[in-house]
Amino acid sequence: MEIDRLDGRKANQLRPLACSRNILNRAHGSASWTQGDTKVLVAVYGPKAGTKKNENPEKACIEVIWKPKSGQIGKSEREYEMIVKRTLQSICILNINPNTTTSVIVQVINDDGALLPCAINAACAALVDAGIPLKHLAVAICCCLADSGYIILDPTKLEEQSMKAYAYLVFPNSILSVRPEGSLKVQGEPMEHGVITSGTQGAMSVDDYLNCLERGRAATAKMSTVLRRNLQPQIASDLSFGDAISRRDLSGMISQREFYGVILRLDLASASSTA
Amino acid sequence: MENKPTSSPTSFVDQSVVPGDVVLDLSNMTNQTLKLGGGLRQDCDAISVMKAGKLRFSNPNKYWVESSQKRYVPHAGDSVLGIVVDSKADNFLVDIKGPGLAFLPVLAFEGGTRRNIPKFEIGTLLYVRVVKANPGMNPELSCTDASGKAAEFGQLKDGYMFESSTGLSRMLLSSPTCPVLDALGKKLSFETAVGLNGRVWVNASSPSTVIVVANAIMNSESLSGVQQRIMVEKLIQNLKLST
């Protein structure tokens, strides 16, 4: 039973992904993440000395500021801030720089569905760009549940509003390992089988939720490869020291970042059409 | 689409890694001492990556992740450029682009006594050496080398300071001399101080030379050796045409 999506995608197909790093000159780390028409820009500053009053000084503190595209800042922005903060706290290694604060500023450029997963992906890429030590990466995805029980991935805003329920899920990325059994184990299960964050809106049955988890996890494998490819250092061919990231566009040179963005889009479209 | 590789790779050395990758398995490496540099941490039996970058190995037993950031992680023995932020009775508070402010004791100068404490105003640029950088504590600096001599450390007067990434600083300090400094040095005369914390100071007799050198260094980050030389030639040609 096929479901017709407005933009012609199949149920499991994600929108074109584009990710760029190091776009802001003054921020210590920055990244933008685009899924179709949803675009989020994240800047990371830090670590800076000092923590807030209620925070534990033995650990590094992460503060998140969410800036909506328009309108005043209200309770929903505070909720997004809290969700992003908790997610990032679970992937950062907090005891490396005690008594410091890392500020993450999330700016929504356009919202066309799956806003929170897009923001979490961008925040993770920005933390890596800033060099904050992380345990692993986080990949986030949004799954929608239609009335017929059909699950679709990466909804647009219209689809989100017309569906019965949706869930956004954040998984650890798939890692490369020298060990044959792969990742580190947490309580007997490989770490990759875990879920970092899960939030739902609307009512769904337990079976539907477990289905969402399965589909979402399979899709994050593709997003993981996209993220990994984009986080590679851009280095000049005959220099073997340091990795050189193009900070300024020299006149006449095509910006490397734009080029990467186009390649990622084609790759994902062709990969998801065969899935 | 194949997700699981049929056999795991034997080594990740000289490859790009992202946080979470397990690069070494300690269970089959007993009785060896390993030295882990930046970007790696030990998690029970495995060494996993904390920062994205290229994994490097140096004989006999050193592993580290090479990456370039805008902020600096203080290590003992590094020479950095710091800016004085405040002065207390015993220390100057110096900003070195790290997680916290660093302390420079007022007596840490060659021939320093309580009677001849230097007076550094807020905003003074200093070339200093990191003496101690323990986790959780403020780093400690010194304006002398390990044997107590001044050795070019101290205040940098005049000139122009700009920020770079830590990767560019390492490239400028590498030996043999990096191509951009080599090409500039053949035609122009200037002096530079490069801090491993991502700050570079340039001084020359005329402002136009300072600007050309600073621009050349800033643009050389993503260029290969040959491209750097070509860029320097073009900049120097423009300089000659305008004078």
Side-chain angles (χ1 to χ4, degrees):
Chain A
M1 180 169 63
E2 283 287 321
I3 207 169
D4 286 325
R5 298 177 75 167
L6 282 170
D7 48 8
R9 282 187 285 155
K10 297 205 208 87
N12 270 350
Q13 193 172 356
L14 303 172
R15 289 177 285 182
L17 291 184
C19 172
S20 354
R21 295 169 65 189
N22 203 9
I23 23 190
L24 300 174
N25 265 340
R26 284 189 203 275
H28 301 145
S30 54
S32 92
W33 187 276
T34 310
Q35 278 175 215
D37 278 334
T38 306
K39 183 163 176 180
V40 178
L41 173 65
V42 175
V44 170
Y45 293 89
K48 291 187 177 169
T51 51
K52 292 194 179 155
K53 274 187 198 166
N54 301 332
E55 304 278 352
N56 185 0
E58 310 235 343
K59 291 195 174 167
C61 160
I62 299 185
E63 100 179 298
V64 179
I65 300 173
W66 182 284
K67 304 262 189 198
K69 180 178 180 183
S70 60
Q72 288 197 331
I73 301 197
K75 292 284 189 321
S76 56
E77 279 74 35
R78 297 268 169 263
E79 185 188 352
Y80 289 148
E81 282 175 13
M82 184 206 71
I83 295 170
V84 175
K85 175 178 165 163
R86 295 266 193 94
T87 306
L88 296 180
Q89 269 177 342
S90 70
I91 62 171
C92 287
I93 304 177
L94 294 177
N95 46 12
I96 284 200
N97 284 323
N99 205 19
T100 59
T101 304
T102 304
S103 306
V104 178
I105 293 128
V106 180
Q107 172 69 58
V108 176
I109 299 195
N110 193 27
D111 176 12
D112 187 29
L115 179 62
L116 198 52
C118 192
I120 293 176
N121 288 328
C124 180
L127 283 180
V128 173
D129 190 45
I132 311 283
L134 302 175
K135 291 182 208 155
H136 49 81
L137 301 175
V139 247
I141 193 150
C142 186
C143 315
C144 256
L145 185 68
D147 287 328
S148 47
Y150 214 70
I151 293 177
I152 60 173
L153 295 180
D154 200 14
T156 61
K157 203 166 187 65
L158 289 173
E159 288 173 341
E160 239 178 39
Q161 284 162 348
S162 61
M163 291 290 154
K164 181 170 89 163
Y166 69 84
Y168 60 85
L169 302 158
V170 185
F171 301 102
N173 70 321
S174 45
I175 65 179
L176 302 176
S177 169
V178 287
R179 296 212 284 210
E181 69 268 15
S183 56
L184 311 162
K185 293 199 188 286
V186 178
Q187 289 171 348
E189 288 219 40
M191 182 202 62
E192 292 170 318
H193 289 184
V195 180
I196 300 176
T197 305
S198 148
T200 57
Q201 173 112 347
M204 58 169 81
S205 70
V206 177
D207 289 327
D208 286 333
Y209 179 70
L210 295 175
N211 257 341
C212 279
L213 272 183
E214 225 181 271
R215 295 282 186 86
R217 199 187 296 279
T220 55
K222 294 175 214 160
M223 288 175 102
S224 231
T225 44
V226 166
L227 193 55
R228 177 181 291 272
R229 225 174 317 159
N230 196 273
L231 290 176
Q232 276 177 14
Q234 292 139 317
I235 198 173
S237 50
D238 62 346
L239 295 176
S240 60
F241 26 60
D243 59 69
I245 302 170
S246 156
R247 289 174 68 209
R248 291 159 207 276
D249 290 338
L250 297 183
S251 57
M253 271 174 68
I254 304 172
S255 163
Q256 297 231 8
R257 292 185 294 275
E258 304 295 316
F259 197 60
Y260 265 53
V262 171
I263 289 186
L264 294 172
R265 235 169 267 154
L266 292 176
D267 253 2
L268 199 64
S270 62
S272 43
S273 60
T274 56
Chain B
M1 212 166 80
E2 270 296 320
N3 273 345
K4 283 241 156 49
T6 45
S7 64
S8 41
T10 45
S11 159
F12 284 110
V13 176
D14 286 336
Q15 288 186 29
S16 307
V17 287
V18 291
D21 289 346
V22 173
V23 295
L24 283 178
D25 192 0
L26 297 179
S27 51
N28 51 6
M29 270 183 149
T30 47
N31 284 346
Q32 278 184 35
T33 317
L34 291 179
K35 288 190 184 169
L36 296 182
L40 294 173
R41 70 174 175 131
Q42 181 181 6
D43 205 340
C44 308
D45 232 10
I47 307 289
S48 63
V49 176
M50 288 196 298
K51 295 189 184 183
K54 270 210 159 78
L55 183 68
R56 296 267 180 235
F57 169 68
S58 142
N59 275 319
N61 54 3
K62 290 187 207 165
Y63 288 91
W64 72 96
V65 176
E66 208 167 63
S67 63
S68 176
Q69 254 82 51
K70 289 187 190 169
R71 296 292 282 178
Y72 167 63
V73 178
H75 284 299
D78 288 349
S79 309
V80 296
L81 261 60
I83 296 181
V84 176
V85 168
D86 199 0
S87 62
K88 299 277 166 101
D90 285 336
N91 299 313
F92 294 107
L93 299 182
V94 180
D95 159 49
I96 55 173
K97 284 174 78 170
L101 289 177
F103 293 155
L104 171 62
V106 296
L107 300 176
F109 296 85
E110 186 177 4
T113 60
R114 276 273 153 203
R115 286 167 178 262
N116 56 359
I117 295 176
K119 291 193 179 73
F120 291 142
E121 290 179 357
I122 295 182
T124 312
L125 184 66
L126 303 171
Y127 183 58
V128 290
R129 178 180 64 100
V130 179
V131 174
K132 281 194 239 177
N134 295 327
M137 292 167 53
N138 299 71
E140 202 182 286
L141 309 172
S142 166
C143 268
T144 68
D145 63 8
S147 60
K149 300 281 193 265
E152 314 287 336
F153 292 114
Q155 185 183 1
L156 295 171
K157 299 196 175 128
D158 305 325
Y160 169 58
M161 188 275 294
F162 57 94
E163 314 239 321
S164 70
S165 66
T166 51
L168 178 59
S169 295
R170 286 196 300 267
M171 182 181 82
L172 292 172
L173 287 171
S174 62
S175 68
T177 318
C178 111
V180 67
L181 289 179
D182 196 36
L184 284 169
K186 287 193 177 134
K187 300 283 170 59
L188 303 168
S189 104
F190 58 94
E191 57 173 339
T192 60
V194 179
L196 279 163
N197 59 338
R199 286 196 173 130
V200 182
W201 174 85
V202 179
N203 193 13
S205 46
S206 79
S208 46
T209 317
V210 172
I211 292 173
V212 166
V213 172
N215 282 340
I217 293 176
M218 281 194 264
N219 288 338
S220 67
E221 186 157 9
S222 54
L223 303 179
S224 69
V226 178
Q227 287 172 321
Q228 285 177 15
R229 288 183 199 275
I230 296 173
M231 173 203 46
V232 169
E233 270 177 38
K234 282 201 191 133
L235 282 174
I236 294 187
Q237 262 176 6
N238 286 343
L239 178 66
K240 297 245 164 74
L241 285 175
S242 61
T243 51

